[in-house]
Amino acid sequence: MTEQDKSSNVVWHHATVTRNRREAMNQHRGGVFWFTGLSGAGKSTLAHYVEEKLYQKGCHTYVLDGDNVRHGLCADLSFSDEDRKENIRRIGQMSNLYVQAGVIVLTAFISPFRSDRENVRKIAGSDFHEIYCKASLEVCETRDVKGLYKRARAGEIPDFTGISSPYEEPENPELEIDTESHLEECADEVFKYVVKAVDL
Ligand code: ADP
């Protein structure tokens, strides 16, 4: 049974407070800024940096971060291919709800599979902006921010992206950032992109 089949008797309720009205009040558009890349590539760092700058300009923002989501909404999911797919599907749906609420959503998930990211693009349409944080495995492994690469190399973490599970690079991301160095420059580049995309 598909997701639609299971909820076929549910009728969509139309709100009077529409996305357009929310965006008019916020004075910026909503959007999903989907940071993807290897663990340690800089997704969270950039997402939070950009959120801080947007907040200071009075924007309505929210960062959805891999670790946090996996403690709650997706706590029942593992890192198998199937569960990773379901993880991204839920986050995609949730991001789209935020966009309907007029919010600028910044997501920091490895999201290693191209097809999963493309499924989110299908949900959010032109509101979806894929931002590829490009850093080599060597650089990410040297950073080893959370000590996970060391543990993965020791065989303690199964299905670890880049080591024992693949990462499929985006083919046509809206933005590709070389995150091997120059953090400030990278952050400013992403910020400029977001400002333009949300008509700030
Ligand atoms: P991820 O969320 O992709 O797992 P993190 O943001 O947690 O990665 O960690 C990235 C690390 O790399 C941080 O310690 C950050 O300071 C550092 N870093 C160095 N250069 C950059 C850059 N250009 N962009 C983003 N992070 C960078």
Side-chain angles (χ1 to χ4, degrees):
M1 207 181 235
T2 67
E3 205 185 321
Q4 279 88 359
D5 292 331
K6 286 185 193 164
S7 46
S8 60
N9 293 322
V10 176
V11 178
W12 189 264
H13 195 98
H14 288 281
T16 57
V17 181
T18 60
R19 173 177 173 182
N20 278 349
R21 291 176 70 195
R22 291 177 199 277
E23 290 181 338
M25 184 181 268
N26 291 348
Q27 296 184 12
H28 62 74
R29 288 175 54 79
V32 184
F33 296 87
W34 191 278
F35 295 75
T36 175
L38 294 172
S39 177
K43 304 179 292 297
S44 293
T45 304
L46 292 177
H48 285 284
Y49 180 100
V50 171
E51 176 175 55
E52 179 61 40
K53 287 192 67 164
L54 290 168
Y55 179 82
Q56 286 175 17
K57 287 196 170 288
C59 295
H60 296 253
T61 61
Y62 200 73
V63 174
L64 291 172
D65 202 297
D67 292 339
N68 301 356
V69 171
R70 278 189 179 272
H71 278 128
L73 180 71
C74 299
D76 57 323
L77 302 176
S78 73
F79 286 86
S80 69
D81 289 4
E82 195 184 337
D83 279 4
R84 281 179 191 264
K85 183 176 174 181
E86 175 58 13
N87 185 45
I88 299 304
R89 188 194 71 80
R90 289 184 198 175
I91 295 154
Q93 292 288 354
M94 190 164 59
S95 301
N96 193 42
L97 290 176
Y98 272 97
V99 173
Q100 301 314 312
V103 175
I104 300 167
V105 195
L106 306 135
T107 71
F109 299 94
I110 298 174
S111 45
F113 301 126
R114 210 173 279 138
S115 59
D116 294 345
R117 298 192 301 265
E118 287 310 304
N119 282 338
V120 182
R121 187 187 289 284
K122 279 182 204 147
I123 298 168
S126 58
D127 295 315
F128 179 81
H129 306 263
E130 188 174 31
I131 300 175
Y132 179 28
C133 300
K134 187 170 183 173
S136 66
L137 178 63
E138 290 68 33
V139 167
C140 294
E141 198 165 352
T142 306
R143 285 177 182 161
D144 208 4
V145 190
K146 300 167 199 155
L148 296 175
Y149 282 101
K150 199 165 172 229
R151 291 183 52 210
R153 288 286 185 199
E156 290 170 20
I157 309 175
D159 304 323
F160 195 79
T161 302
I163 308 279
S164 47
S165 188
Y167 178 78
E168 298 172 356
E169 291 194 313
E171 279 170 342
N172 268 314
E174 274 71 16
L175 191 62
E176 181 174 311
I177 307 277
D178 172 356
T179 54
E180 296 205 340
S181 58
H182 307 297
L183 174 55
E184 288 275 318
E185 284 90 335
C186 290
D188 288 340
E189 195 179 340
V190 180
F191 179 69
K192 275 190 197 124
Y193 176 84
V194 176
V195 163
K196 205 163 167 223
V198 301
D199 291 339
L200 189 63

